[in-house]
Amino acid sequence: MKLKDEYTQLLSMYRHRWNLKDNGDPMVTHSSVLQPMVWDGNNVILKIALINEEKQGNQLMVQWNGHGAAKVLLHDDNSILLEQLSGETALFQMAQNGEDDQATKILCDVARHLHSVESSAKLVLSPLKQWFNELFKAEEKDKALFSESASIARNLLESQINSTVLHGDLHHQNVLYSKEKGWLAIDPKGLYGENTYEFANLFCNPDHHVALIPGRLERLLDIVCNQTGIDRDRMLQWIVAYSALSASWSIQDGMDAALALSINAQALKLLS
C-alpha cells in the first residue's frame, strides 16, 4: 500500500516514540490509520486518529481502561496503542451460523459493562441531539420518507432517561474475543445520551441476510428487553429513530439504504 507522506511520517514518529516494530500492512480510512505492531514482545495495534470523532473514541478507550473494551497500553492526544485481540471467535460468523441470539446476548453484556464505567469530567463526548442532525437535514429534503421517524427521534431526544457514556457504534464487528478476558469492544464513537440508543444498532446488523430474516426483529426485541430491562415500546422507538438516522447516512454517502429502511418500516409497524 502506498501511503501518503504525512501518514508515513506519523507512523515513523510513533515507531521511534514508542519503540514499535511493524507486524503487518497498514490500513487507512477517512478517519484513522491502523498499523499492526510489536511492542515489548506483544502484538498490538497502533491507531492514529485523523478526525476529532476518532480522537474522542480513542480517549474513551483510555477511560474504559480495559473494562469491557480492549486495553490501551500507551496513548497521547491523537493516538492509542491497543492490545491486539485474536478475533478467532467472531460475532459476525456466530450470527450467520445460527447463533444470532447468543451473539445478541453477548453484545448486551458488553454494553452493560461499558455503561457501568463512571465518566471523567475531562472526557469530550458528542450529545445524541447533535448526533441526529443528519436525520433532521434529511427530513427537510424528503419529508415523506423521514418525517414520522424524525418526529419520534425528537420526542426521544427531549425525554431521555438513563443517560450515560455510549460506545455509539456497538455491533458485531466492533466486539472481539480475547481468550484471557472474553468479549471486548473496540472503535467507539464517544457519545452521551440515553442508554437505549446503544442497542438500536444491533437490529440493523450484522448484514442484510441476517437482519431481514422474517421474525428476527421481534425475536431480538424480546432478547434485548429481557437482557436490559428496557421497555419494549421505548426500544422500538429508538430502533425507528436509529434506523432512519442510518438510512440518512447511507443516502448522504450515496450508498444503499434498503436495509435500514426495511428495519425502520418493521419497527414503525410494530409501534402502530
Side-chain angles (χ1 to χ4, degrees):
M1 172 187 287
K2 176 64 175 176
L3 291 178
K4 292 182 179 180
D5 289 343
E6 62 182 296
Y7 301 157
T8 301
Q9 292 169 10
L10 280 170
L11 288 170
S12 177
M13 180 186 73
Y14 281 106
R15 287 189 195 98
H16 177 73
R17 177 182 294 176
W18 288 343
N19 193 24
L20 305 172
K21 294 182 179 179
D22 290 356
N23 190 35
D25 295 327
M27 182 178 74
V28 179
T29 70
H30 77 284
S31 60
S32 61
V33 178
L34 297 161
Q35 171 73 61
M37 296 281 196
V38 175
W39 174 75
D40 196 26
N42 299 304
N43 293 335
V44 295
I45 299 292
L46 172 65
K47 181 177 182 182
I48 304 172
L50 301 178
I51 62 175
N52 285 334
E53 180 183 297
E54 288 297 330
K55 291 178 184 179
Q56 285 183 194
N58 282 355
Q59 294 310 306
L60 181 52
M61 290 292 290
V62 174
Q63 168 77 21
W64 281 332
N65 194 30
H67 185 89
K71 180 76 172 178
V72 176
L73 305 169
L74 295 170
H75 65 91
D76 62 17
D77 289 342
N78 296 316
S79 303
I80 54 175
L81 195 68
L82 286 167
E83 62 176 327
Q84 184 171 353
L85 305 178
S86 67
E88 292 177 3
T89 305
L91 294 181
F92 186 91
Q93 280 75 28
M94 285 178 63
Q96 289 186 319
N97 295 330
E99 297 180 274
D100 188 25
D101 293 2
Q102 182 61 24
T104 301
K105 292 176 182 178
I106 290 169
L107 287 161
C108 289
D109 190 54
V110 170
R112 179 178 61 81
H113 279 87
L114 297 178
H115 294 171
S116 70
V117 180
E118 290 189 13
S119 171
S120 165
K122 296 180 180 180
L123 199 59
V124 177
L125 301 166
S126 297
L128 275 185
K129 285 186 178 182
Q130 175 184 316
W131 202 242
F132 272 83
N133 282 343
E134 290 304 322
L135 172 58
F136 303 135
K137 290 178 184 177
E139 180 193 18
E140 293 175 2
K141 297 177 181 178
D142 193 338
K143 291 190 179 296
L145 186 61
F146 290 114
S147 181
E148 184 176 7
S149 297
S151 177
I152 289 173
R154 284 192 185 89
N155 289 335
L156 289 170
L157 294 167
E158 292 300 326
S159 62
Q160 294 184 67
I161 55 176
N162 300 323
S163 290
T164 189
V165 177
L166 303 173
H167 180 288
D169 194 23
L170 195 69
H171 59 71
H172 300 67
Q173 290 175 297
N174 277 344
V175 173
L176 304 178
Y177 187 71
S178 163
K179 289 181 179 179
E180 295 78 21
K181 304 175 185 177
W183 296 97
L184 301 172
I186 60 169
D187 203 21
K189 298 301 182 187
L191 309 182
Y192 188 86
E194 183 171 332
N195 65 347
T196 313
Y197 173 86
E198 195 85 280
F199 304 95
N201 194 10
L202 307 185
F203 295 83
C204 293
N205 276 282
D207 61 14
H208 70 278
H209 296 294
V210 175
L212 298 182
I213 292 174
R216 195 252 188 178
L217 190 152
E218 294 92 328
R219 191 182 75 249
L220 257 64
L221 182 63
D222 288 341
I223 292 172
V224 169
C225 292
N226 287 335
Q227 291 286 308
T228 63
I230 293 171
D231 175 76
R232 186 177 186 275
D233 281 352
R234 189 77 176 182
M235 187 71 251
L236 275 171
Q237 290 171 29
W238 276 108
I239 295 169
V240 167
Y242 172 79
S243 57
L245 176 61
S246 180
S248 72
W249 287 333
S250 295
I251 292 171
Q252 181 188 44
D253 294 339
M255 300 172 64
D256 187 3
L259 169 56
L261 290 174
S262 179
I263 296 299
N264 181 261
Q266 290 181 51
L268 281 170
K269 184 176 180 180
L270 288 172
L271 271 175
S272 61

